[in-house]
Amino acid sequence: MLMGSDWPYLFPPVPPSAGEELSTGSCFSPAKRVHKDPAAVFKVFQGELRAMSTYCGEYNKNADSRPFPNNHPLLVMDPK
């Protein structure tokens, strides 16, 4: 399971010179400054998974109201 898992212990330490960079963002979160620290990146990833899960839940809840062929839920796409 991806969502809610705590995996930062798998990432090696990052040298202090790594600094920050501007992320490109995604459809669920705007571009912003993020640390190159893998644990911080993973935290952002978890937040984006929660946003995607919320979107999938809303999409699935309203699936019956859409005409064919768009009346199917996104059950396999929801990361929860």
Side-chain angles (χ1 to χ4, degrees):
M1 173 181 350
L2 289 176
M3 201 166 85
S5 300
D6 186 23
W7 295 355
Y9 66 90
L10 296 173
F11 307 129
V14 177
S17 62
E20 295 182 344
E21 66 181 21
L22 183 65
S23 77
T24 57
S26 70
C27 60
F28 297 106
S29 67
K32 58 183 171 263
R33 294 241 172 241
V34 294
H35 293 281
K36 288 185 180 180
D37 172 39
V41 171
F42 186 75
K43 186 179 267 191
V44 170
F45 174 66
Q46 287 292 305
E48 290 175 348
L49 280 179
R50 278 190 295 280
M52 181 180 171
S53 180
T54 300
Y55 172 80
C56 288
E58 289 298 316
Y59 187 90
N60 294 344
K61 186 169 59 172
N62 298 319
D64 293 342
S65 65
R66 290 189 297 273
F68 180 82
N70 299 319
N71 61 342
H72 301 287
L74 298 173
L75 299 176
V76 297
M77 302 299 289
D78 193 347
K80 67 177 176 180

